[in-house]
């Protein structure tokens, strides 16, 4: 910048000059931001998709291919419409023989510190939850965050019963019980020291499975038509 | 504008660089920008990332403020500086997301909050708006690296005590009872207090 005129501090600058300065800086800023946004967008989206895929592989053991599906208002599964953010998405996972491993479902609910976002894997064949992972949480380090780390707690989600009754509703809602008091297959053995967080996980899965598992189970009985398009 | 390496500058310019590292360290001496210092220094990686992000924003905004110092009218200077700082913070935010989603998640809102880090605005107002581009760059580099260094000092101590690890690698054998309070906010205050004690003791000794 070769601005030669010097501004006398006593003399107030004209309004035009102020507008010009602010406007100019604003335009440069806007250009820079848009440029960076466009440059980093593909990479950010790729990283996010990779992170999600990794989580799906974890909650659906044996999965090699995933496919996003949307739950329609008619409570059936369909290929997601591109760009429609309002749809509830689930992810079907297929193993090396193209057989369905199960569905990965995202759910969220209030934890101790903030909203906890989780992903769980549902296997329609055995009607159980076969995997669980915390996607995002701000639970207290060393206490509430045991829900992500403690193996004993994570073992709850290897065969958690979410079977349906004759009416097609969940027979027993998933619930967290006190540590060491788990007797039934649909109960989650809690963590003492992370009572609220572990209870929140039970509630989140309970609420979400009540709503989504009947849809998934129904859709599975009508045979999933596997489409080639990867969303 | 090409960057002048500190050695070819006059001794006084070298001093612009050195002062931020030690004598006027933004955290240990000026005690500026305490919000990120206390909040995201819970691990060494977080601390380094936060420090470098702040240093980058400081460097870029100092360059631009210094470049435009004769063009920006006095009445709208603070608004202009904030606009410039906010731009570079947004750029940094995208860049960090593109580097690692995990890192972006653990730094959370504190990246956006660099905008209101008083360290950056104070350097723009007190230094860059009155000095040449070269000197402003040196000042920003010194202050930015000093800030990063201080954050790292806190982060390393907190991670070792609170998590038993450094850069994610476990230091202690199985069964080490980590000192959880150190990675909670309270631990930030304890560690900062300890470091201030050490730094002040050193400087008092030097002065005598």
């Amino acid at each position: 910048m070769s601005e030669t005129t010097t501004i006398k501090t006593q003399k107030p600058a004209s309004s035009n000059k102020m507008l010009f300065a602010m406007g100019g800086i604003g335009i440069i800023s806007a250009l820079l931001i848009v440029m960076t946004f466009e440059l980093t967008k593909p990479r950010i989206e790729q990283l996010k998709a990779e992170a999600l895929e990794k989580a799906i592989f974890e909650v659906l053991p044996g999965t090699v291919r995933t496919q996003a599906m949307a739950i329609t208002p008619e409570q059936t599964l369909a290929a997601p419409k591109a760009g429609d953010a309002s749809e509830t998405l689930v992810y079907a996972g297929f193993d090396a023989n193209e057989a369905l491993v199960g569905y990965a479902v995202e759910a969220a609910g209030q934890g101790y510190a903030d909203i906890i976002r989780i992903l769980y894997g549902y296997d329609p064949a055995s009607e159980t939850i076969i995997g669980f992972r915390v996607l995002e949480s701000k639970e207290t380090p060393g206490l509430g965050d045991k829900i992500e780390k403690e193996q004993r707690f994570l073992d709850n989600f290897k065969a958690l019963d979410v079977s349906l009754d004759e009416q097609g509703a969940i027979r027993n809602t998933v619930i967290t019980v006190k540590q060491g008091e788990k007797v039934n297959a649909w109960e989650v053995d809690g963590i003492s020291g992370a009572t609220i967080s572990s209870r929140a996980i039970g509630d989140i899965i309970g609420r979400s499975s009540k709503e989504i598992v009947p849809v998934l189970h129904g859709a599975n009985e009508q045979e999933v038509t596997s489409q080639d398009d990867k969303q | 504008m090409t960057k002048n390496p500190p050695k070819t500058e006059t001794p006084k310019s070298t001093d612009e660089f050195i002062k931020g590292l030690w004598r006027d360290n933004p955290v240990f001496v000026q005690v500026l920008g305490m919000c990120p210092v206390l909040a995201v220094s819970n691990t060494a990686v977080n601390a380094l990332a936060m420090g470098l992000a702040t240093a980058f924003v400081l460097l870029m905004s100092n360059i631009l403020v210094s470049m435009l110092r004769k063009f920006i009218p006095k009445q709208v200077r603070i608004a202009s500086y904030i606009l410039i700082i906010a731009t570079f913070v947004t750029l940094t935010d995208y860049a960090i997301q593109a580097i690692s989603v995990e890192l972006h998640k653990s730094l959370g809102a504190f990246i956006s909050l660099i905008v209101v880090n008083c360290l950056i605005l104070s350097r723009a107002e007190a230094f860059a708006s009155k000095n040449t581009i070269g000197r402003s760059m040196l000042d920003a580099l010194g202050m930015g690296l000093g800030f990063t260094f201080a954050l790292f000092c806190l982060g390393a101590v907190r991670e070792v005590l609170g998590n038993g690890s450094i850069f994610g690698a476990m230091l202690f054998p199985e069964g080490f009872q980590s000192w959880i309070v150190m990675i909670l906010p309270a631990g930030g205050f304890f560690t900062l207090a300890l470091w201030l004690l050490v730094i002040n003791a050193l400087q008092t000794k030097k002065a005598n």
Side-chain angles (χ1 to χ4, degrees):
Chain A
M1 284 277 150
S2 56
E3 186 70 45
T4 44
T5 52
T6 44
I7 299 162
K8 302 244 173 10
T9 40
Q10 290 86 354
K11 200 178 88 187
S14 73
S15 302
N16 279 345
K17 188 149 188 178
M18 282 189 238
L19 273 175
F20 189 54
M22 292 297 289
I25 294 171
I27 289 168
I28 298 172
S29 298
L31 279 176
L32 275 173
I33 289 175
V34 170
M35 212 172 69
T36 319
F37 177 75
E38 289 295 334
L39 275 175
T40 52
K41 200 177 168 204
R43 167 109 179 121
I44 292 173
E45 277 176 359
Q46 187 203 339
L47 281 180
K48 282 194 173 152
E50 266 170 25
L52 181 64
E53 190 153 75
K54 211 177 125 218
I56 295 171
F57 287 172
E58 207 171 292
V59 298
L60 296 172
T63 300
V64 294
R65 188 176 74 81
T66 65
Q67 190 190 344
M69 289 186 176
I71 294 178
T72 61
E74 297 81 44
Q75 304 294 300
T76 55
L77 282 183
K81 293 180 214 75
D84 190 351
S86 65
E87 300 175 305
T88 311
L89 289 180
V90 295
Y91 304 90
F94 300 93
D95 66 10
N97 303 321
E98 282 297 297
L100 181 75
V101 180
Y103 297 98
V105 182
E106 222 185 292
Q110 181 65 44
Y112 180 75
D114 200 348
I115 302 287
I116 306 176
R117 280 180 54 234
I118 64 159
L119 190 76
Y120 65 89
Y122 167 69
D123 174 17
S126 63
E127 297 193 62
T128 52
I129 284 171
I130 52 173
F132 159 80
R133 189 193 146 106
V134 176
L135 292 176
E136 199 180 336
S137 93
K138 294 191 174 64
E139 302 303 278
T140 323
L143 297 168
D145 76 342
K146 282 185 194 157
I147 55 169
E148 297 176 49
K149 292 175 184 150
E150 203 161 289
Q151 197 51 45
R152 198 189 51 77
F153 182 70
L154 297 175
D155 286 345
N156 278 309
F157 307 98
K158 284 189 173 151
L160 189 65
D161 177 45
V162 284
S163 57
L164 303 178
D165 59 16
E166 292 71 28
Q167 278 81 47
I170 296 265
R171 187 171 288 130
N172 300 294
T173 309
V174 170
I175 190 161
T176 305
V177 296
K178 273 189 194 159
Q179 180 166 349
E181 288 183 7
K182 175 183 165 113
V183 279
N184 299 305
W186 62 84
E187 285 169 353
V188 174
D189 196 3
I191 308 171
S192 58
T195 316
I196 294 173
S197 307
S198 61
R199 242 189 242 157
I201 298 296
D203 288 346
I204 296 170
I205 296 184
R207 216 165 342 103
S208 161
S209 61
K210 232 183 200 172
E211 197 179 309
I212 293 187
V213 163
V215 181
L216 294 178
H217 193 259
N220 193 56
E221 283 182 340
Q222 295 159 14
E223 272 296 314
V224 186
T225 48
S226 139
Q227 283 128 347
D228 288 318
D229 61 312
K230 269 178 95 179
Q231 200 261 322
Chain B
M1 269 295 149
T2 48
K3 189 192 146 204
N4 300 323
K7 282 188 185 83
T8 60
E9 290 274 333
T10 54
K12 232 191 142 209
S13 295
T14 327
D15 193 50
E16 306 293 6
F17 178 69
I18 303 293
K19 71 173 194 286
L21 290 180
W22 184 256
R23 202 188 66 231
D24 284 339
N25 186 292
V27 175
F28 293 144
V29 180
Q30 300 185 60
V31 201
L32 281 177
M34 282 301 107
C35 168
V37 168
L38 293 167
V40 279
S41 62
N42 51 355
T43 67
V45 173
N46 280 0
L48 268 186
M50 190 65 202
L52 291 177
T54 312
F56 170 77
V57 174
L58 182 57
L59 177 64
M60 298 310 286
S61 59
N62 252 17
I63 291 176
L64 220 66
V65 166
S66 167
M67 220 189 249
L68 300 174
R69 67 185 187 278
K70 294 200 179 107
F71 170 74
I72 299 172
K74 231 180 157 35
Q75 292 89 336
V76 292
R77 68 186 194 286
I78 300 292
S80 308
Y81 299 162
I82 289 290
L83 197 55
I84 291 168
I85 294 167
T87 306
F88 288 110
V89 169
T90 313
L91 301 194
T92 313
D93 190 58
Y94 286 134
I96 290 179
Q97 271 191 64
I99 293 166
S100 161
V101 176
E102 278 295 304
L103 183 63
H104 187 261
K105 222 192 271 174
S106 63
L107 294 181
F110 291 100
I111 300 174
S112 323
L113 285 176
I114 297 176
V115 178
V116 288
N117 191 321
C118 48
L119 165 65
I120 297 176
L121 189 62
S122 79
R123 288 335 286 170
E125 166 76 2
F127 197 92
S129 64
K130 296 179 186 114
N131 285 282
T132 60
I133 298 178
R135 291 168 76 92
S136 301
M137 273 171 88
L138 289 175
D139 174 73
L141 278 175
M143 287 290 166
L145 291 177
F147 187 72
T148 310
F149 164 72
L151 236 76
F152 177 73
C153 288
L154 263 86
V157 168
R158 289 178 69 187
E159 188 177 351
V160 168
L161 294 177
N163 208 21
S165 62
I166 186 85
F167 289 112
M170 291 311 283
L171 280 182
F172 299 105
E174 193 76 11
F176 167 74
Q177 186 59 50
S178 56
W179 202 3
I180 283 158
V181 69
M182 295 311 282
I183 45 175
L184 298 179
F189 285 96
F190 293 150
T191 320
L192 179 65
L194 279 178
W195 275 112
L196 287 176
L197 197 71
V198 170
I199 302 277
N200 275 310
L202 282 176
Q203 291 194 333
T204 322
K205 212 171 151 192
K206 210 171 133 198
N208 290 340

